[in-house]
Amino acid sequence: MSKSDSTCTAGWFKSSRSSETQSCVEVRFNGNSVLIRDSKYTGPGPTQPIVSVSSTLWPGFLDQVLSANSGGLNEGVAISLHQDGGATISGQGVALIYNADEWDAFAKGVADGQFNRS
């Protein structure tokens, strides 16, 4: 997915459970899809690894996060939980890897309803 650097930050948000200095799962509602990226990425904006979930499957994705189990969606997007409490979100040839603190902050934000699409 190609984006200019100026649009790379517009509309992205993270869980309020993530500290200012903590790397995190970032989400952006984008028309009929929800985009997910990793704030640890430091390369050029146009090559930012992003996983896209259709807005119709987004509630199922959030349910999968809350289930605390690994699993996948029909679009080939999957969540793989790690033994150390971290997780990997994969899809479209991209793997976003989060440590335990990053995943915990995201999951708590999901539980709080912060990522519900309204």
Side-chain angles (χ1 to χ4, degrees):
M1 180 170 301
S2 180
K3 296 174 294 310
S4 71
D5 285 338
S6 64
T7 61
C8 216
T9 57
W12 291 95
F13 65 99
K14 64 181 184 172
S15 170
S16 66
R17 304 288 186 116
S18 296
S19 69
E20 285 299 316
T21 58
Q22 182 180 7
S23 300
C24 58
V25 179
E26 291 183 314
V27 171
R28 178 179 169 200
F29 298 131
N30 190 44
N32 291 328
S33 62
V34 181
L35 308 178
I36 307 165
R37 71 179 185 182
D38 189 341
S39 68
K40 291 187 298 287
Y41 178 76
T42 59
T47 60
Q48 169 86 52
I50 292 174
V51 173
S52 178
V53 177
S54 71
S55 57
T56 56
L57 291 180
W58 183 245
F61 179 87
L62 298 178
D63 288 344
Q64 188 65 46
V65 171
L66 292 176
S67 78
N69 292 305
S70 296
L73 302 174
N74 291 340
E75 297 175 339
V77 174
I79 298 171
S80 301
L81 299 181
H82 308 163
Q83 289 183 350
D84 66 3
T88 299
I89 299 173
S90 58
Q92 299 97 38
V94 171
L96 305 173
I97 302 168
Y98 301 98
N99 67 35
D101 290 338
E102 295 164 342
W103 190 252
D104 183 60
F106 178 63
K108 287 178 178 175
V110 171
D112 289 347
Q114 295 177 22
F115 296 96
N116 293 346
R117 191 175 179 133
S118 44

